[in-house]
């Protein structure tokens, strides 16, 4: 099998290398400890596809609203972000993993296309969940872990599975190869990429 070659960039001299990552066992501990279904689905999307918090829960400063169910196609098993809802103003569509499809299917019950995907029990959209997150990370044994660490871990996991760099950039919407390079860590080069039972997420071209 031909292994794609990635460009090398020196980033450690400026202290720009990223430190926060989530390993698979840690992620599983967190999903087991997470109580609300919306939280499990939120983490699954971030961990598998590198979605930003603002893309899922909205960003008041940037005028973007939380994700609505009209962006989720359960039959086609896709989630679509349109231009204007992402940090770099570029839309994208991803094909859901089985885990994400199952969690979103359970979360979808009783909801309408215009309803928000991630909501509290009273139906209000989830926007600030810092208290819930802090309790979860403490319970799972990863205190101090940031939600954004899921995004970095998602891209690193794609590279570990030898997903082409172009595909990893398309799925996560990192703008450049230099951005991807800042995610590198020693464990990526300590051996062969580990085998994964989960299929790598696939981007879908938009027409």
């Amino acid at each position: 099998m031909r292994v794609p070659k990635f460009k090398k960039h020196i980033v450690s001299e400026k202290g720009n290398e990223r430190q926060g990552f989530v390993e698979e066992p840690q992620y599983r501990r967190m999903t087991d400890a997470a109580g609300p279904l919306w939280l499990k689905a939120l983490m699954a999307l971030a961990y598998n596809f590198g979605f930003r918090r603002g893309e899922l829960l909205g960003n008041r400063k940037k005028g973007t609203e939380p994700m609505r169910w009209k962006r989720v196609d359960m039959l086609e098993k896709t989630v679509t972000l349109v231009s204007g809802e992402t940090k770099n103003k570029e839309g994208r569509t991803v094909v859901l993993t089985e885990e994400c499809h199952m969690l979103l299917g359970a979360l979808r019950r009783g909801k309408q296309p215009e309803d928000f995907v991630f909501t509290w029990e009273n139906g209000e959209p989830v926007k600030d969940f810092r208290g819930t997150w802090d309790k979860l990370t403490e319970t799972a044994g990863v205190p101090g872990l940031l939600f954004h660490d899921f995004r970095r871990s998602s891209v690193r996991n794609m590279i570990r599975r030898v997903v082409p760099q172009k595909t990893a950039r398309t799925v996560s919407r990192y703008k450049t190869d230099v951005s991807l390079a800042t995610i590198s860590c020693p464990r990526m080069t300590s051996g062969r990429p580990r085998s994964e039972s989960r299929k790598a997420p696939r981007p879908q071209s938009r027409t």
Side-chain angles (χ1 to χ4, degrees):
M1 179 177 65
R2 183 179 180 182
V3 179
K5 294 182 179 179
F6 299 134
K7 295 181 180 179
K8 296 181 179 179
H9 300 276
I10 300 176
V11 295
S12 58
E13 290 182 359
K14 295 183 179 181
N16 196 35
E17 66 275 13
R18 302 301 191 244
Q19 300 295 329
F21 292 99
V22 184
E23 297 294 342
E24 184 76 14
Q26 295 173 324
Y27 170 68
R28 293 303 167 192
R29 286 204 307 272
M30 293 185 72
T31 56
D32 289 343
L37 184 59
W38 65 261
L39 183 55
K40 294 177 185 287
L42 186 76
M43 291 192 300
L45 288 175
Y47 186 73
N48 283 281
F49 301 104
F51 285 152
R52 296 178 176 90
R53 178 184 180 279
E55 293 171 340
L56 299 173
L57 302 181
N59 189 314
R60 184 177 60 181
K61 292 182 179 180
K62 296 182 179 180
T64 58
E65 66 173 12
M67 180 185 290
R68 296 181 186 268
W69 280 108
K70 63 183 179 181
R71 302 298 181 208
V72 183
D73 190 326
M74 296 304 297
L75 292 179
E76 295 295 329
K77 298 183 178 182
T78 60
V79 168
T80 298
L81 299 176
V82 299
S83 301
E85 296 179 341
T86 63
K87 181 178 180 180
N88 54 22
K89 307 301 181 183
E90 295 181 1
R92 66 187 185 276
T93 297
V94 298
V95 179
L96 295 172
T97 63
E98 287 302 317
E99 177 190 21
C100 290
H101 186 255
M102 179 186 69
L103 289 170
L104 287 174
L107 198 62
R108 177 69 170 81
R109 295 168 188 163
K111 300 292 184 64
Q112 300 301 317
E114 289 298 326
D115 290 340
F116 294 112
V117 175
F118 307 101
T119 60
W120 300 104
E121 291 183 358
N122 61 5
E124 291 295 317
V126 175
K127 295 181 179 179
D128 187 342
F129 65 108
R130 283 175 289 184
T132 301
W133 182 259
D134 289 343
K135 290 180 182 178
L136 174 60
T137 55
E138 287 285 348
T139 301
V142 285
L145 185 75
L146 303 177
F147 185 76
H148 192 73
D149 293 337
F150 277 37
R151 175 168 169 77
R152 291 190 282 267
S153 301
S154 171
V155 177
R156 187 191 63 172
N157 290 342
M158 292 183 216
I159 296 174
R160 279 179 165 179
R161 294 195 292 269
V162 202
V163 173
Q165 190 169 3
K166 181 179 179 180
T167 300
R169 198 170 67 233
T170 300
V171 171
S172 63
R173 271 297 184 261
Y174 271 98
K175 196 68 175 178
T176 65
D177 291 342
V178 175
S179 299
L180 286 180
T182 64
I183 299 175
S184 299
C185 72
R187 280 171 290 191
M188 286 177 54
T189 57
S190 61
R192 292 175 296 178
R194 61 179 179 176
S195 59
E196 295 283 348
S197 58
R198 293 183 293 117
K199 293 182 179 179
R202 295 179 288 119
Q204 181 173 339
S205 301
R206 300 190 63 201
T207 56

